[in-house]
Every structure is written in structure tokens, then in C-alpha cells.
Amino acid sequence: MAKRPNLLAAADREDALTTDVLEGLRKHPKELSPVWFYDEAGSSLFDSICELPEYYITRTELEIMRLHAAEMAAAIGPEAALIELGSGTSLKTRLLLAQLDSPSVYVPVDISREHLLDAAGAIAREYPDLRVAPVCADFTAPFQLPPHVASSRRRVVYFPGSTIGNFEADKARALLARMRQIVGRNGAALIGADLRKARDVLERAYDDRAGVTAEFNRNALRHLNRKVGADFDLDAFDHLAVWVEDMSRIEMHLVSKADQRVHIGNETVAIRRGEHLHTEYCHKYTLESFAALAASAGFDVARVWMDPDRKFSVQLLEPA
Ligand code: AVJ
């Protein structure tokens, strides 16, 4: 059986990370995992992104939750176990929790132990009657649910933020299929999914005037420099956000401004002038394309809540 990453010794873990990074950089086009965005600086840059006038996603989803969390809670029903993938420090989770009828347990799942415990602690303090059972795990792999989930009437996975959009179709399907497994026959999944819209609106949302998203993109390199001892020159890369119609996604790239060599561990990676490193995909859906994705994982769309301009959707999926 494969060892779990958090059981590996620190040195092995670093080797594994370096191997992962090098693997991505040997692909054509070169790619870096979006996980590299989120060190401390990156998380605070992301918080700034959420405040940008161009980045409509967070505020639109919040608006939907403010308007419709009560209906969502009614559709979910009493004594549910709410299992959130990624730990919920956010207002969205609170808005939902505040409306649920006697939830049996709230289970935030996150790979970062520190972030998880902070988030779980904050929720537990704000909702003293709520049982909070955090699980430290990579939610893209199987993990064990805490015992209290068994006594709930219904299991509901909550996956807000359009994070589903960061996964390519086969991975998104696999993740939804895992949710289907987790919630069982009478469970549900409540998912935030961003909707397709005009190219200029999307490109501006990922390439803001103030340059915060550009900084967020480059910060992945700074994180790599520190974490795996690489020597990326941040100034040698341009930020690019482009809508790729065929794939129905925004792609974020870093474009090399010069021929350069980057050292990672004992390896050297050559990057040509004009070469692109892919850092993130953000898929955008139509109601039809999301329903098809859900169906491919064994879910029907039971309810959809949207803002009045139909920029974003929160969708309740139930086993088909
Ligand atoms: C947090 C992954 C949903 O895809 O819109 C924001 C990340 N990247 N700006 C998104 C992000 C660039 C965001 N998600």
C-alpha cells in the first residue's frame, strides 16, 4: 500500500515534491500545480482577489447564499452531516450552517492541519451547539469519516467556490463520483459552479487592473523557490489569463520573457523565451454542461440557485 504523504519523513516529502514539480516542468506545455499558489502570501493575495471589482465569483456566490441559504437548508433537511471539502473559514459556510435545522455534525476536510484546526476552532466557537469533527486529509483520495456521521439522517458534501472548475473533466468526474460514494443513496452534494460568460468579463476577472492576480500567479514561483530550493526569477515571467473557448475554461499561464535556466534540486530546467508554464485551469459551465458532468458521476441536479444575472450557480445534486 502506498504511504500517506503526511507519514513520510520531511526529507522524503521534499524529494517527492521536487519530483512532482520536475515532472510537470518536463511536460509540453510545462505545468505547475495550482497548489503552489497557496502559501501564506498566496492565501492573503487570494483574499485580496476576492475583493477586486473584476473578480465577481466570491461576492456573487455570497449573494446567492445570502438570498437562498434558507431554501438550501430546507432542501437538505434536518439532522444532516455537513461535510465540507476544503476547510470552511468562509462566510458562505456560516450562512449555510446558520440556516440548517439541527445539523448532526460539521466535518471540514483539509490537507493543511494548521488551516483546518484554525477554521474548525473558529466555527466551533461561533456555533457552540454544533458538533465539529475536522478531518485532516487530501479529499481527492479516500478518507475515513468521523463516527458521528453515521448517526445523521443524511450526508451532504459542500464544495463551494467553483473549486470544481479547477479540475479537468476526468478529474472533476472522479471527484464528484467520490462525493457520490461519500454521501450514499439518500445523500446530496451542494456545489458552487461558475457559469460561462463573455470572454472579456472572464479575462478581466483573472487579469485585474491592479495586478493582484498577476502577483498571485507569480507567487507560485516564490513559493517553489522557498519550498524546493528552486531559483525562479519572478521578474522574468509575464502573467497571462486567456479564455479558451473549445475547452470552456480560463487558463492562467506564466510566460517566460527570456531564455533561462532554472535549478531545482540537482536538476536544471531550460525554459525558452515565450514558453508558457500552465498554472491553473478554471472551467466555466452552462447549466447543461454541469448537469452532464454530474450525470457522468451518478448525480441528478435537484435544485439550482443563481444570482439575478446568472453569473454563478449553487447546485444541489442528488444520487440519480
Ligand atoms: C479559488 C480556485 C475558485 O478558480 O477562480 C482566482 C482561484 N485563480 N484567481 C478560481 C483563482 C485566479 C479561484 N478558485
Side-chain angles (χ1 to χ4, degrees), residues 38 46 49 55 57 161-163 166 206 213 216 252 280 282:
Y38 299 101
F46 181 68
I49 287 174
Y55 194 74
I57 292 188
S162 200
T163 307
N166 294 132
Y206 291 87
T213 309
F216 174 73
M252 295 221 306
E280 188 175 48
C282 311

Side-chain angles (χ1 to χ4, degrees), residues 16-303:
L17 285 177
T18 305
T19 307
D20 267 10
V21 171
L22 285 168
E23 220 169 86
L25 293 176
R26 288 198 188 101
K27 289 189 181 162
H28 305 280
K30 291 181 166 57
E31 55 181 55
L32 286 176
S33 161
V35 303
W36 293 106
F37 292 142
Y38 299 101
D39 60 355
E40 213 177 296
S43 297
S44 94
L45 283 165
F46 181 68
D47 290 344
S48 307
I49 287 174
C50 294
E51 304 285 320
L52 292 169
E54 298 95 331
Y55 194 74
Y56 59 87
I57 292 188
T58 311
R59 85 174 61 84
T60 308
E61 188 175 18
L62 264 172
E63 182 193 353
I64 296 170
M65 297 309 289
R66 283 204 184 90
L67 288 170
H68 303 295
E71 270 174 60
M72 295 176 196
I76 286 169
E79 293 168 46
L82 189 72
I83 302 158
E84 181 167 1
L85 306 186
S87 44
T89 39
S90 78
L91 201 44
K92 290 170 258 180
T93 306
R94 288 152 207 249
L95 288 168
L96 182 61
L97 284 171
Q99 295 295 333
L100 284 175
D101 178 2
S102 354
S104 74
V105 60
Y106 169 61
V107 184
V109 182
D110 202 287
I111 193 154
S112 154
R113 184 171 296 272
E114 204 186 315
H115 187 182
L116 175 72
L117 295 180
D118 282 356
I123 297 273
R125 275 190 300 280
E126 273 179 60
Y127 297 87
D129 297 334
L130 178 67
R131 181 176 281 123
V132 178
V135 171
C136 187
D138 171 1
F139 63 68
T140 62
F143 60 89
Q144 220 174 357
L145 288 169
H148 285 296
V149 169
S151 58
S152 65
R153 284 220 215 176
R154 194 181 195 196
R155 280 174 261 173
V156 179
V157 164
Y158 183 41
F159 196 44
S162 200
T163 307
I164 189 74
N166 294 132
F167 296 84
E168 292 180 68
D170 53 338
K171 296 270 173 58
R173 184 178 313 116
L175 185 55
L176 287 170
R178 174 161 306 288
M179 294 181 201
R180 168 67 187 79
Q181 243 173 14
I182 289 171
V183 302
R185 191 77 211 78
N186 77 332
L190 187 66
I191 310 228
D194 196 17
L195 300 175
R196 277 180 75 127
K197 53 186 64 67
R199 171 188 293 272
D200 59 320
V201 176
L202 287 167
E203 290 185 345
R204 274 201 300 268
Y206 291 87
D207 190 7
D208 59 281
R209 284 192 60 148
V212 182
T213 309
E215 190 55 29
F216 174 73
N217 199 5
R218 285 193 200 94
N219 182 64
L221 302 178
R222 190 183 288 124
H223 188 192
L224 274 169
N225 286 350
R226 196 181 59 246
K227 201 58 177 274
V228 300
D231 58 358
F232 283 101
D233 173 6
L234 272 64
D235 296 329
F237 291 90
D238 282 323
H239 167 68
L240 177 71
V242 61
W243 170 249
V244 180
E245 175 79 26
D246 287 357
M247 304 301 288
S248 197
R249 68 191 182 198
I250 282 281
E251 296 189 3
M252 295 221 306
H253 300 177
L254 288 163
V255 185
S256 180
K257 296 198 225 174
D259 287 333
Q260 49 180 316
R261 287 176 181 281
V262 176
H263 303 95
I264 300 168
N266 300 320
E267 309 270 336
T268 303
V269 179
I271 307 176
R272 283 174 292 104
R273 174 161 183 259
E275 193 171 352
H276 293 214
L277 314 190
H278 288 200
T279 50
E280 188 175 48
Y281 299 140
C282 311
H283 293 83
K284 308 299 173 185
Y285 307 96
T286 61
L287 294 179
E288 295 72 26
S289 72
F290 196 76
L293 175 63
S296 73
F299 278 120
D300 282 336
V301 177
R303 296 286 302 268

